Each structure stands twice: as structure tokens, then as C-alpha cells.
Amino acid sequence: MFAGYPSVDIADLLDTYDYVVVGGGTAGCVLANRLSRDVGASVLLLERGGIQDSWISRVPLFSSHFASDGSRSWVTKSIAQGHADNREMEIIGGNCLGGSSRINAMLYTRGLPAEFNAWTKSGSWDYRSMEPHFVKSESNLDRKLDSEKHSGTTGGEWVHRSHNHLHWVHSEHIIKATSSMGIPYVEDPNSPFQPAHGCAKLHYSIDRRGQRCSTFAAFLPRQLALSRTHRLHICTNTLVCRIELSGGSEAGAVKSEGVWVKSRNDSTPPILIRARREVIMCAGPIGTPHLLLLSGIGPRDHLKDHGIAVKKDLPGVGSHLQDHLTVPVQFCVPVSDSLAKIQLRPWIILKELFLYLFFGLGLLLSPVLELSVFIQSRLLDKEFNVSSYSEHDMDSSNPENRPDIEIMPVRSGDITYAHTDTVQIAWGEVNKHRQGGLCFFTVMLRPTSMGTIRLNSNDPALPPAIDPNYLSTSHDISAHRKAVRFALRLKDRMVAQGYPVVTYSAPDFDSDQEIDAYVRSKCQSTYHYSSTCRMGPEHAGVVDEDLKVHGVEGLRIADSSVFPEILSTHIAAATVAVAEKCSALLQGPAAPEPSIV
């Protein structure tokens, strides 16, 4: 028990549950909520991390991984990336109930209908079949939005909203600059009628009280968990060691019987918890394939190399890892137009705290990223403008029109600059100058590089070998080159409009060689891992269109690892929709079907 939250110790667990959900992250909280609605079903939710429900963890500005003490995060390193200067990249995920929805940027972006229409080659999923599951979970506070495509304030549990006004002067200049470059402004990036590219006003999973609305807060709040203690057990700080599989050989029928679990906090031996109906994996695109491999489901040769009995030879497990790689291009802007004003003028935080606590307003709502620019790079001309496009190019349902570049303008804190000619000309300073930071994170949305999750050892407490294989194709380095050049042109357009922004860290626009070197030395993850247990036929995938693991009875997967390919957007909303889809598949026609309201 933690602060009154009804968690259950391992010693008090039942021997058998109807459903065992492995992973209490973004998707797992949704599944636990939906499956435990059935008064006749018993559900166990197993989470590696803790509950971690402090006040500071709910304040938007202070609750992300990068603004917190890291206690809600799981952090490890990738293997050295040979195409990125041999650097070991930081790998980050959530390590508490709610998972990455507790530490991310709170962005609610579904993605274009085209994203899901492209999935039809892997099964029967498309946007038409996915839209009801988006609508079911959401409660949209922007009443002026299309009510047929969003749930209103009486909709689902997961609240999202946009901000009523722009907090930063440079955001207004970005909208004007992108418009002058042929890129339209998009008020509702989650509408299926949006154009296929644009400068989008972002929506955040922030509730009516101005608090982070993680899937933990939305789907497993304390009162709901208390009301279902007789049929929903939530067990935290628990290590799932492997899935118990019956079946005599790798060629025979295999069935999931349950999971072996132990406490992370002591050395007691693992115990077997059985599942009458199914085990559902929601451990994420790293944890899910890792556990399947430990259990004997995966590439035969790799399992044998680690002395693991092969239960099901499934080469797709841990393969096809994709992520959005970003390259930061850093600028300096006036202190008053960045988060530096909080660092350098401490009294401002008192004002912001007052606005937040009493009125639910101000910078603590974390508008660190209030716009994002989505681009189809094939439409860019030599000057990096979208000079012409057809009605076909703007069709957001056509998979050909998915954006491949995103520019995320992120406000950063204080930057102390050594005296340079550029800064001297811009501000006439001498020796040193302190300025605010504005970073254009240039993101490649449609990578062709694919990596792997593989075992380092047979110890489930140790992280697997994570190889994103970044920048391993010429397509990807070329796409980053275009993204960096677009960011520099966007900055030039803002300067032409009279906004005082100066380049701090960026390569020479005209040098392919310098840009490529910059990309390899500066690139980093956006932590949008996906597709390591992707949906598709057995020779190429891990799950079928019902999310069942090929050749293994009683085992499904419902997290971003099942994406056939990475989405051209931020992935939390789609992960929740996958969990909603899974609950509908599990509960069958007798369960209320989601419908558009």
C-alpha cells in the first residue's frame, strides 16, 4: 500500500487470475481499467516500477523526465551506434504506473488517417476502424472542435486540450514564417480533415485542474482502484521473469499459462501466477520483446546462443525497432522569450506558481512546445519553400502524403555565450552575453533504418542489448540534411520578419559534409520506440490483426511494439487506441462497442 493507493504485495496475490496484464504503463493502465469493468473477471496488473504519485509529478512543467529527478524513469544506454560517431545513445522510458505518459511532453497527437490506412497491408486495421477507439478514451476540452471526431467534456477518461493563447512571441513568428513558406496553420491536428502538412497547434494531456493527465491518473485513479479491489489487483515493484509456456517442442502447439514474478526489492524466488484466459503484454517496445525472448519466443539461433529452450521460432520478435531520431539546431533569443527568464529572474517563478495554484494558468502548464511543423519534404523547392502542391498532396487519408520531417520549436533555458562576431553584431555585447535558448529539434519521421532488441543475458533484471541502428541508410542521412536546412531557412525567415534570433549551434547551410557530420555528432532519440513485435504475417511479424502472438495460444500484445511501422507523429495517443482496440477484441460483442458521439 502506498499513500492509500490499493497496491497488492506479491505475497498476497491469488494463484490464478482471468487476465494477467504485464506492464502498467501507457497501455497497461487502459487495459486494466477496461478488463476490470467486467464484474465477473479477475485482473492482475504487474508493474516493474512504483506508484510515485507526488504533487510535483502532476505539475506539467516539472513532471517530465528532463525537468524531474528521474525517479519515474528507466534509463539505459544503446549499444554503440556505428553510423553516429560510435556514440551510445540514451534510452529512456517510464518506470512507474502510467509509464511514459508520466514523463513525456504530454502531447496528444493521433496522426493523419493516412498513418493507419497504411496499416491495411498488415491486417484489417485502418483509420475508420481506429477512430472509434481514439474517441472512446478521450475527453476533449476544446468545445469548438469537430464534435463528430472528438468526445466532448462528457466523453472518455483521458482529458486533453490546447492552450487558449500563445505563450511565446517567437511562436507567432513561427506561424507567420511557415505560412510565408507555403505551410498552412492547423488549429486541430487531430481532425481527420486536417491538411497533410502544416504548422500545428498542439494539444496536451492536461486535465481541468491543470494537472498532467497520464493514463495512470485517467484510467486508474485511487477511487477507481479502491472500488475494484475485489477483482483488480495492482502489483508494483515487481519483476516479471518469464512467461510460463506449455508445449513440448518448438514445432508443437504452445500455450501461455501465466507468468513467473518476483519482487524487485528482495531476493525471494519467483512464483508462478496463472492466467485462466490470457496474458496481455503491455511492457512496451523494449520490455515486451525482452520478456518474449527470455520465455523462448523469438529467433531460434539467438535463443539457442543464450541457452534458452525454443518454444516458438518467431524471427520478428525484437526486430524492426524504429525510433524518431532528432537533431537539435540551437538559437539564442531574448531572455524574456524563453524559459531562461525563470532561471535568471527567480521572482518570476513565484508569480507563475501563484497563477498556477489559484487560476490554473501560466508557464507551469508547460507550453515548452506549443507548435510543431510537419512537412512533406518532397514538396520543398530549392529555397525550402512549399511553392506548389495539388489537392492530392493535401489529402490526409493518402499514405503517400504522410509527413517525413517535423520541426519542434522547444524553449530552453539560459545560454551563456562567448563573444563572437555574430553575437556582437546582433546585440552589440562585449565579452559575454546571457540569452535565452530556442531549439529547433529537427525530426525524421519516416526512418528506413531498423534496429533490434536482443538478449545481453538470461537475467531478467538486466536490460537487453538495444541497437536502434540509427542512420544506417542513405535515405535517413539525406532526410536529416533536408530537415536541418529547413530549420535554418525558417530561422532566416523569422529574422526577416524582425524577430531577434541568432544561430548558436548549427552547421554551414551550404555544406553537405558539414551537415552530415553535425547530424552524426548531435543526433539523439525522441524516445518514440516502436514496431519490435509488429503486426503482420508470421514470416514478417509477431502478432496477427487480433493482436495474438503467432503460434502461441492465450498471449496478446497491446503496446507500441505492435505498430507495423512507426507513425509520423508522437505516439502516446495511438498507443492508448491500440489498448482500447485490444480490450474490445478480448471482451467480444457482449461488451459495449465504442461509438462516435
Side-chain angles (χ1 to χ4, degrees), residues 7-10 12-24 28 31-32 35-36 41-47 220 231-236 238 240 258-259 261 271-275 278-280:
S7 59
V8 179
D9 292 333
I10 283 183
D12 298 324
L13 293 178
L14 304 177
D15 294 332
T16 305
Y17 294 83
D18 290 308
Y19 298 106
V20 176
V21 180
V22 178
L31 258 298
L35 296 177
S36 64
S42 57
V43 180
L44 172 62
L45 178 65
L46 297 166
E47 166 54 34
L220 289 182
R231 62 181 186 272
L232 172 61
H233 285 177
I234 300 168
C235 188
T236 58
T238 301
V240 179
V259 294
V261 301
I271 62 172
L272 175 61
I273 304 296
R274 294 188 176 275
E278 295 198 19
V279 172
I280 306 107

Side-chain angles (χ1 to χ4, degrees), residues 241-243 245 281 285-304 306-319 452-458 464-465 532-533 542 555:
C241 301
R242 63 182 173 88
I243 304 164
L245 299 170
M281 293 298 305
I286 295 172
T288 289
H290 185 209
L291 189 57
L292 264 59
L293 293 170
L294 290 168
S295 306
I297 304 173
R300 178 194 293 111
D301 292 344
H302 178 66
L303 296 176
K304 288 183 174 179
H306 286 271
I308 294 174
V310 180
K311 291 291 187 176
K312 174 63 181 177
D313 178 22
L314 205 53
V317 173
S319 302
T452 57
I453 305 294
R454 292 291 182 256
L455 294 174
N456 265 323
S457 79
N458 295 353
T532 51
C533 293
V542 176
L555 181 62

